[in-house]
Amino acid sequence: MFEVLVSDPSQVAEARRRASAAAAEAGFGEVTAGQAALVATELSSNLIKHGGGGRLVIGPGNRSLDLLAIDKGRGMADVQACMADGYSTAGTRGQGLGAVQRLAQSVDVASTPGAGTVVWARLVAADDNDAEGLAEHIHRPPVLRNAGVWAVQVPMPGEDVCGDGWGWHEDDAGRTVFVVDGLGHGTEAALAANAALAEFRRCADASPAEIVDAVHHGIRHTRGGAVAAARIDWNSATVSFTGLGNIAGVLLLPSGQTRRMVSLNGTAGHNARKVQSFEYPCPDNALMVMHSDGIGTGWSGERYTPLLWRHPMLLAGALYRDFSRGRDDATVVVCGTGRP
Ligand SMILES: [Mn+2]
């Protein structure tokens, strides 16, 4: 995942080009890559027109492409009207969010007057998208918000590789999320993060304390890093969390309250005086956030309460927008706490 700053119209073409290249990298054919380029163009143009500039985060996956347009502009007064605009005139260009809605498999938007807008669009490398089927997916995030784990992850400006990593595991009883921040940034940090992720994958069905312990012992040959693992248990409605170093774990509750989970001091791979798990009650309609220290910790839940009911990617985007320090790799992972 990487970002393109879009603060003047000349940068729209750059955003389009990078999105198109990312789509090709993700396995898109010519037609769907063209659609991805068009969506990137519309989102970027919107950033200029309505956002006073912003950034387009581009995330190529395995035959999927996430596009996240983030701004701190005046916000859209009427998201529904913006979405509807152009929806019925499929096939033409310049239809703004209508075109995005028509071409993407999933779309969600959160716009707060005065605070800005986050638009997420996911495209898939198939061209059987039709507007009929699409309507099923749009604006029903309460149904979708528990499906999967979502993240915004952007390397430090000037770096090609990211020294953070994240992964997740799910079984019948719950979901485990893992985040690592390799010490520093750049190639060596990325090596540490990749080693930690490989270790996590080997023992993803173990408890958070066992995972963190295994990672600590498994990445001694690297420069090490901060790690945390969280296990959401759907049956008992609890989360157990084990952190070593500066990975934040936060539950955002429907009341707007935030519950910050405890990480102990240390560096996985080098220094772990204590690996301990803490348990928290967790209703099934909360969001769990985990982030690296490229994101500041000074955020409060009340400000983001409306995002609780949207797709998790929107909260990830908003936190990245509002609290990225801009001088480190940044990772924000968000998922719903309920059973999918
Ligand atoms: Mn960091």
Side-chain angles (χ1 to χ4, degrees):
M1 211 173 234
F2 59 93
E3 69 179 0
V4 180
L5 297 179
V6 183
S7 52
D8 77 76
S10 68
Q11 290 164 313
V12 173
E14 165 79 356
R16 179 192 178 92
R17 191 182 63 73
R18 302 276 310 265
S20 176
E25 179 196 321
F28 283 50
E30 209 172 308
V31 172
T32 44
Q35 292 177 338
L38 181 53
V39 169
T41 303
E42 296 301 343
L43 292 176
S44 304
S45 304
N46 263 2
L47 287 175
I48 304 282
K49 272 185 267 184
H50 306 294
R55 46 184 111 201
L56 184 70
V57 176
I58 300 172
N62 179 19
R63 300 183 65 75
S64 70
L65 184 74
D66 289 303
L67 296 172
L68 197 63
I70 307 172
D71 69 62
K72 290 185 180 179
R74 61 182 186 269
M76 286 179 278
D78 188 346
V79 170
Q80 289 297 344
C82 291
M83 297 289 274
D85 180 32
Y87 187 66
S88 58
T89 55
T92 56
R93 297 191 167 221
Q95 302 295 335
L97 285 184
V100 173
Q101 175 153 297
R102 181 168 49 80
L103 294 170
Q105 189 210 26
S106 308
V107 178
D108 202 10
V109 182
S111 193
T112 314
T117 301
V118 183
V119 185
W120 166 68
R122 163 163 282 209
L123 292 106
V124 294
D127 30 13
D128 52 0
N129 291 332
D130 67 300
E132 223 65 58
L134 243 145
E136 291 295 307
H137 297 279
I138 290 166
H139 278 281
R140 303 208 183 150
V143 178
L144 287 179
R145 63 200 272 279
N146 287 328
V149 178
W150 302 85
V152 170
Q153 176 168 75
V154 178
M156 181 173 132
E159 292 285 0
D160 289 330
V161 294
C162 187
D164 292 348
W166 65 283
W168 60 290
H169 161 84
E170 194 172 282
D171 52 47
D172 289 345
R175 177 184 284 166
T176 303
V177 183
F178 177 76
V179 178
V180 52
D181 174 355
L183 270 191
H185 49 86
T187 312
E188 290 292 318
L191 284 174
N194 287 338
L197 273 181
E199 203 60 51
F200 166 67
R201 289 190 193 106
R202 266 193 284 277
C203 60
D205 55 357
S207 73
E210 287 165 341
I211 289 168
V212 169
D213 197 55
V215 170
H216 169 57
H217 288 98
I219 67 168
R220 288 202 163 141
H221 60 291
T222 72
R223 62 160 69 168
V227 300
R231 169 72 178 181
I232 301 167
D233 185 303
W234 295 317
N235 296 324
S236 64
T238 57
V239 175
S240 50
F241 183 87
T242 302
L244 192 57
N246 272 339
I247 302 290
V250 183
L251 297 174
L252 180 54
L253 304 173
S255 61
Q257 283 178 300
T258 43
R259 183 171 291 143
R260 289 176 188 282
M261 300 186 277
V262 172
S263 276
L264 297 180
N265 289 332
T267 304
H270 296 289
N271 166 31
R273 287 222 316 264
K274 204 172 180 188
V275 172
Q276 190 179 340
S277 181
F278 296 91
E279 202 158 289
Y280 304 88
C282 178
D284 66 4
N285 53 1
L287 288 178
M288 183 173 77
V289 180
M290 292 171 71
H291 62 80
S292 66
D293 67 357
I295 302 293
T297 51
W299 57 276
S300 76
E302 297 101 70
R303 181 172 169 189
Y304 298 105
T305 316
L307 296 184
L308 258 170
W309 312 108
R310 320 287 336 169
H311 192 276
M313 201 64 149
L314 298 185
L315 179 61
L319 289 173
Y320 174 67
R321 172 191 65 198
D322 297 336
F323 290 95
S324 169
R325 297 187 206 266
R327 48 185 158 78
D328 196 359
D329 304 315
T331 301
V332 191
V333 182
V334 183
C335 66
T337 55
R339 203 183 274 274

